[in-house]
Amino acid sequence: MRAVYVRNFAPFEQIDIAEVDDPVPGSGEVVVDVVAAEANYPDILVIEGKYQVKPPLPFSPGKAAAGRISAVGSGVKGFSIGDAVAVQVEYGAYAEKVRARAESCFRMPDGVPFEKAAALGLVYQTAWFALKERANFKPGERVLVLGASGGIGVASIQLAKAFGASTVIGGVLGASNAEVARQAGADHVVDLGVPNLRDQLKTDVFALTNGHGVDVVIDPVGGAANAAAFRALAWCGRLVIIGFASGEIPTIKANYLLVKNIAVTGLQWSDYRDRTPDRVTQAQKELFDLYSRGLIDPVISRIVPLVDFKSALSALQAGQAQGKIILQVRPELR
Ligand SMILES: NC(=O)c1ccc[n+]([C@@H]2O[C@H](COP(=O)([O-])OP(=O)(O)OC[C@H]3O[C@@H](n4cnc5c(N)ncnc54)[C@H](OP(=O)(O)O)[C@@H]3O)[C@@H](O)[C@H]2O)c1
């Protein structure tokens, strides 16, 4: 099969596609022929060897895909060859075939396109667990989503609205990204690129929430936006740390927590995938159900063939993904 192939950790510009052996499923595993794979920001970190989990070399990157099961290992129940599934893996999805644990495959309901199923993967799962598990979000609450035009951002806006948020504010850099956040369903959009962000974000958010502040902040950006968002929280607000797309890991001031009874919580979604697969399966069922009811719909800004994976990663690196970029791998299998 053909696969993006990392022989040594390196900048993604130095990585190429190679012809490699087909994977063989072990006990409890399946092989999925990939129709579409989700390009994600963490893939860049994985390729460079800067991610929390370093795959053994050589490997193929890629954390989520949708395709058809082509081989079933011993002990697997409930899946057959030809089944259409979304699949979540630690790495390996930038390839014509990916090996996965059967419990990390999710049957696609009829009518869901493979590209949408792939796009309902990592970022929607992460946003789902951020809001429901980490933030303990309740209907009627007000939510600020940073990095609102990116993958996590769009998913968080759509899920917060679907779960009954009274107000969702998207924080973005630049006018074209503002439009993406609005189209994803943000009630308001604020600019995170202003020079006096520390004061301006608080002023904007309190004006947009009738002086209440936001109950929940979803933060995949870090840096100066994180520090400013703290000040925009309401009493008993919760801030969920998801990532550092700005490249800057912020330092949290403990006095803020005390003064407004604030809680800061982190999320590493892959732990839920590995430790509580049943909850992840349930979340994926709910995500497919919300999609089928028209309550969420991944924004796919570009679909590019697998050979163009570097252009997808370049856009992610520059903060210009605008929703999701999908890699088309074997469209003839749809
Ligand atoms: N914790 C987890 O389990 C988990 C799971 C998946 C991803 N992540 C992490 O979450 C972060 C975001 O992922 P994503 O998929 O949403 O990425 P993405 O699609 O590339 O979106 C990131 C967004 O952050 C904003 N941004 C602000 N400053 C930026 C900068 N200097 N460079 C690039 N982007 C900047 C941009 O949007 P605006 O213009 O709208 O601000 C950009 O679109 C990454 O750090 C990723 O590793 C964590």
Side-chain angles (χ1 to χ4, degrees):
M1 69 163 181
R2 289 164 66 247
V4 175
Y5 202 54
V6 180
R7 292 184 170 84
N8 296 298
F9 295 118
F12 67 83
E13 292 87 349
Q14 297 172 21
I15 303 302
D16 285 312
I17 290 187
E19 190 67 35
V20 299
D21 291 342
D22 286 358
V24 177
S27 173
E29 294 180 337
V30 299
V31 168
V32 178
D33 283 9
V34 176
V35 175
E38 184 185 37
N40 281 300
Y41 186 93
D43 301 335
I44 299 171
L45 305 175
V46 175
I47 292 169
E48 293 182 350
K50 294 179 181 163
Y51 196 64
Q52 298 96 299
V53 178
K54 290 186 183 49
L57 293 163
F59 71 94
S60 296
K63 291 181 172 292
R68 290 194 183 278
I69 290 184
S70 61
V72 178
S74 62
V76 171
K77 291 196 174 60
F79 287 115
S80 309
I81 289 174
D83 285 351
V85 293
V87 53
Q88 303 274 1
V89 286
E90 187 59 45
Y91 56 91
Y94 285 20
E96 290 182 331
K97 292 173 184 282
V98 59
R99 187 166 59 98
R101 292 181 307 175
E103 63 194 11
S104 295
C105 293
F106 315 102
R107 193 176 294 281
M108 286 164 50
D110 290 344
V112 180
F114 284 90
E115 289 77 8
K116 294 280 184 181
L120 283 165
L122 178 68
V123 293
Y124 279 84
Q125 279 279 350
T126 303
W128 195 98
F129 277 89
L131 286 161
K132 289 236 172 184
E133 295 282 334
R134 308 309 300 160
N136 293 318
F137 169 84
K138 294 181 276 307
E141 290 192 315
R142 304 141 190 90
V143 179
L144 169 64
V145 177
L146 306 181
S149 74
I152 300 279
V154 166
S156 299
I157 290 169
Q158 290 188 354
L159 282 176
K161 293 298 284 187
F163 294 158
S166 61
T167 305
V168 177
I169 303 171
V172 299
L173 290 174
S176 69
N177 286 355
E179 197 43 41
V180 176
R182 263 189 215 99
Q183 281 179 7
D187 299 298
H188 310 281
V189 178
V190 292
D191 186 357
L192 301 179
V194 294
N196 57 341
L197 182 64
R198 190 171 175 279
D199 293 325
Q200 192 61 48
L201 185 61
K202 181 178 179 185
T203 304
D204 289 347
V205 164
F206 275 76
L208 293 169
T209 56
N210 295 323
H212 180 88
V214 281
D215 305 292
V216 172
V217 172
I218 301 295
D219 181 10
V221 171
N226 173 277
F230 257 95
R231 305 182 76 231
L233 275 167
W235 182 75
C236 281
R238 290 89 69 201
L239 187 147
V240 187
I241 307 275
I242 294 186
F244 313 106
S246 69
E248 197 187 320
I249 298 175
T251 302
I252 288 159
K253 289 201 165 179
N255 57 322
Y256 284 166
L257 312 187
L258 178 152
V259 169
K260 284 198 281 188
N261 288 282
I262 286 168
V264 180
T265 177
L267 170 62
Q268 174 147 278
W269 173 79
S270 55
D271 283 347
Y272 284 99
R273 180 197 64 204
D274 297 341
R275 291 168 184 260
T276 60
D278 289 351
R279 285 160 81 189
V280 168
T281 300
Q282 183 56 34
Q284 195 66 41
K285 277 195 187 125
E286 290 184 26
L287 289 170
F288 280 141
D289 181 56
L290 291 170
Y291 174 81
S292 299
R293 289 161 56 204
L295 292 172
I296 60 173
D297 185 8
V299 173
I300 298 177
S301 59
R302 278 200 288 153
I303 300 176
V304 301
L306 182 64
V307 289
D308 290 341
F309 72 97
K310 291 180 195 177
S311 73
L313 296 181
S314 295
L316 285 163
Q317 194 163 53
Q320 292 167 352
Q322 301 199 322
K324 290 283 10 146
I325 303 177
I326 294 297
L327 306 175
Q328 199 169 54
V329 186
R330 298 191 62 192
E332 71 279 8
L333 296 180
R334 68 180 68 249

